[in-house]
Amino acid sequence: MIAFTVSSCSGDGDTTGRPETAVTSGTASSAPNTLGLWPEDYVLTEGEATTYFTGVPAGTNTAGDQPAKRYTPEFADCLGLSATDLDYEPEATAVGETFVSEDGDSFISSYAEIVTEKQAAGVRAMWASPRFADCTGRETRARIDESGADGDGVEYQVAGVQRPSAPTGAAGYLRVTLQVREQDFTYEMAVDTLVFIVDHVAVTVTYTNYETAPPMDRLQLIADQISGKLARQQPRSIAGRPTGPATSAPRALGLRPEDYVLTEGPATAGFTGAPADADEVSSAELNSAELSNCLGVVAEDLGYEPEAAYDGLNFVSDDDRPLTIESYAEVVTEKQAAADRALLAHPRFEECMVKEVQAEADGPVVDDDGLEYELTGAQIFPAPTGAAGYVRLAVQIRGQGVTVDMARDILLFRVGRVKVNVTYTNLEPAPPMERLQLIADQIAGKLARQEPRSIAGQPTSGGPGLRAAGDAGHSTVLPVAA
C-alpha cells in the first residue's frame, strides 16, 4: 500500500510515509550555553490522538536521508513563488514516530522543523496561496505518473483535493482523496494533512485513512496535542542534541473478536448457551467460484484470512425444540473491510448470493440421526435497527415420515474492522422481528463500544461454538462477506 504524503514543511514531498520515531538533524550549535528549541518536542506522540494505533520506531539513518530539495520548480511556479522561497535548510528537523493502525493500512506521521522567521513566512505564504490545493493536486498527479503502479500492481489516481476548515489550533488543512485500483476492485483512500506554524516551529501531521468524509474527531485530537505543545515552547540547551531515534515501547493492543459475539441476555431468553466440541467448529471456506463468476470479479477477492475469528456459544432452546442461536465474529483489515463493502454494494449481490446459496445446497444433507435437511429458498429482508443486513433461508427437515419447515434468519453486522454474523434457527413462518431486534440491540451496542486491549493469545480462528451458517447445507458466503 502506497501512502502519498502531502508535505508542507517536511521533506521533498516524497509520496511515501516515514516509518521513523523522532530523529533529529540540523546545524544548530552544540556549545554548552547555547539555548534553542528541539524539534522532537513538537512531533506527535502517544495519546488520545493515536488511539488504536501503535508507534513504529525510526531508523537511525533518517537524519542523513533528509533530502536537500523538497519542492519542484514546477510546484513553486504554480504557486507564483520562487523555488528559493520553498527550498531552504531548516535549523533542525525531527521525524516523529509513524503510528500504524492495527491492520497496518492506516497511519499517522509527523514532522517538525525549527526555521528562521523568513522561512516560516515562506511556509505561511505557500499555505495561504489560493492555488495551493490545485497546485498540490498537480504535483501529486505528477509524482504518481512518475512512479507508476506499486510493486503489487496497485494503481493510484488523484480523485480530488479539498481545503476544509482546519480544526481548532491548526494553521491549515488539506485533504487529498486517492482512487485505488487493485485487480477488479476500486476503492478510495484519503490523505489528511494538518500544518502548524507558531513562531520558529513548523509541524506537519499526515493521517492516511479510508474515511469517506474528513475525520474531524481524530484530527481535532491531533490538533489539540500539537497546538498544546507549541503553546508551551521552552528553549533549552542544545548541547548533545540526539541524532538517533528516541525509544518507544509499542503496546500490543488490538480488537478481540470474542468481545462481539452474542452472549446471554434478553436476546437469548429461553435459551441456554453451550460450547461446541472443538471438532465441530467449521472453517467457513468460501465457495467463491460461482459467486465471483456471477459478480464478474476475480475469485481471490472474495477469499481472505481474517486477522482473528471467534465462534460464539451455541444457544439451544430450553423446551427441547430444534431452535438455536449462533454467532461468529471476525476482525479484518481495513482493506478487507473496504473490499467487503464494495461486494455488498454490488448491484447484483442479492441475486448472486441467492444463486450461491442454492448451488451450495446441492440437494438434501443427511445428519447422523438420519434426518434430511434441504434448502428450499432464500430471501433478503429489511434489517432490524443496528444490523447491516438480514437474510432468511428456508430449510425443510424430513425424517420418520414427518416433514418440518424451518427458517435460518441471518443478521449481518459490520462496523469498522469488526464483522459479526448471528444465525437464529426457528420454526416461525414469518420473520421473528422481536427476537431479531433484541439480537441486533446487543451486537450493535457492543460494536459501538469497540475498545482495543491486549491481543496476547488472541485466537486467529474458531472458538468454542458453532460457526453461524457455516455447516453443511448452509451458505458459507455470508460469514465472509458480511
Side-chain angles (χ1 to χ4, degrees):
M1 178 63 67
I2 295 178
F4 296 96
T5 300
V6 181
S7 178
S8 62
C9 314
S10 60
D12 66 348
D14 182 27
T15 56
T16 57
R18 307 174 187 271
E20 300 99 11
T21 191
V23 175
T24 308
S25 64
T27 57
S29 168
S30 59
N33 294 326
T34 301
L35 299 181
L37 298 173
W38 290 47
E40 58 265 41
D41 291 344
Y42 307 105
V43 295
L44 192 71
T45 51
E46 183 178 354
E48 287 185 286
T50 63
T51 302
Y52 306 147
F53 287 69
T54 299
V56 177
T60 57
N61 63 343
T62 303
D65 288 344
Q66 293 302 316
K69 291 189 179 295
R70 296 174 292 183
Y71 300 101
T72 65
E74 292 80 9
F75 183 64
D77 289 343
C78 182
L79 291 172
L81 302 173
S82 68
T84 55
D85 291 331
L86 304 184
D87 181 22
Y88 60 83
E89 185 67 30
E91 292 184 3
T93 63
V95 178
E97 289 182 290
T98 292
F99 288 90
V100 183
S101 62
E102 295 158 351
D103 58 22
D105 284 345
S106 297
F107 62 86
I108 311 172
S109 58
S110 62
Y111 184 85
E113 292 179 338
I114 307 301
V115 297
T116 66
E117 190 169 329
K118 180 179 179 180
Q119 292 166 348
V123 173
R124 292 190 182 95
M126 178 177 68
W127 275 81
S129 172
R131 292 179 52 80
F132 181 60
D134 178 58
C135 295
T136 299
R138 292 185 183 184
E139 179 80 356
T140 305
R141 290 185 184 93
R143 293 184 180 278
I144 292 174
D145 292 341
E146 181 181 349
S147 61
D150 69 7
D152 296 323
V154 180
E155 298 178 354
Y156 300 83
Q157 288 185 339
V158 176
V161 181
Q162 300 171 278
R163 294 195 68 175
S165 298
T168 303
Y173 171 26
L174 188 74
R175 180 175 176 86
V176 178
T177 304
L178 299 171
Q179 186 178 80
V180 186
R181 179 176 295 277
E182 186 172 1
Q183 296 179 346
D184 288 337
F185 276 107
T186 300
Y187 54 94
E188 290 191 346
M189 61 185 293
V191 182
D192 292 296
T193 301
L194 299 181
V195 65
F196 305 81
I197 310 170
V198 176
D199 297 329
H200 295 281
V201 184
V203 181
T204 301
V205 181
T206 301
Y207 175 29
T208 303
N209 59 83
Y210 292 84
E211 302 292 338
T212 57
M216 297 309 297
D217 287 347
R218 171 98 48 192
L219 296 178
Q220 187 59 64
L221 290 172
I222 293 171
D224 290 345
Q225 181 186 134
I226 300 299
S227 62
K229 291 179 176 180
L230 291 171
R232 298 187 298 272
Q233 295 182 28
Q234 289 293 332
R236 52 193 176 100
S237 173
I238 59 174
R241 182 158 50 191
T243 57
T247 58
S248 176
R251 296 176 296 169
L253 298 180
L255 299 173
R256 299 186 65 113
E258 61 265 39
D259 292 343
Y260 307 104
V261 295
L262 193 71
T263 51
E264 183 176 353
T268 63
F271 289 73
T272 299
D277 293 335
D279 59 0
E280 292 181 357
V281 178
S282 54
S283 60
E285 288 292 328
L286 178 66
N287 183 4
S288 59
E290 291 83 358
L291 184 62
S292 60
N293 288 337
C294 181
L295 292 173
V297 299
V298 295
E300 288 77 8
D301 292 332
L302 302 186
Y304 60 81
E305 186 68 27
E307 288 187 357
Y310 195 84
D311 296 274
L313 295 175
N314 183 17
F315 286 92
V316 180
S317 175
D318 294 336
D319 60 10
D320 294 329
R321 291 187 298 166
L323 312 180
T324 60
I325 311 175
E326 307 155 281
S327 61
Y328 170 74
E330 287 181 347
V331 176
V332 300
T333 67
E334 286 194 29
K335 181 178 177 181
Q336 291 166 350
D340 285 333
R341 286 192 290 270
L343 182 70
L344 292 175
H346 195 289
R348 297 193 62 202
F349 177 72
E350 178 176 351
E351 171 193 347
C352 295
M353 183 279 301
V354 173
K355 288 183 178 179
E356 162 74 0
V357 171
Q358 292 170 341
E360 205 173 282
D362 195 25
V365 175
V366 181
D367 68 9
D368 294 338
D369 296 324
L371 296 177
E372 287 188 356
Y373 295 79
E374 183 173 9
L375 182 67
T376 59
Q379 292 178 276
I380 293 181
F381 288 92
T385 302
Y390 169 26
V391 180
R392 169 165 261 231
L393 306 181
V395 181
Q396 194 171 81
I397 305 175
R398 296 183 292 270
Q400 300 178 349
V402 177
T403 299
V404 177
D405 290 318
M406 299 192 68
R408 290 175 64 86
D409 292 296
I410 304 171
L411 297 184
L412 317 178
F413 303 82
R414 59 184 189 277
V415 176
R417 298 191 303 108
V418 183
K419 306 195 313 181
V420 182
N421 279 22
V422 180
T423 301
Y424 175 32
T425 302
N426 59 82
L427 299 168
E428 302 293 335
M433 297 309 297
E434 184 175 354
R435 173 82 65 177
L436 296 180
Q437 187 60 64
L438 290 172
I439 293 171
D441 290 343
Q442 181 187 134
I443 300 299
K446 290 180 175 181
L447 291 172
R449 299 187 300 272
Q450 295 182 30
E451 290 290 343
R453 57 190 182 93
S454 173
I455 57 175
Q458 174 172 266
T460 56
S461 64
L466 291 173
R467 175 164 306 211
D471 49 314
H474 305 121
S475 172
T476 58
V477 63
L478 296 171
V480 178

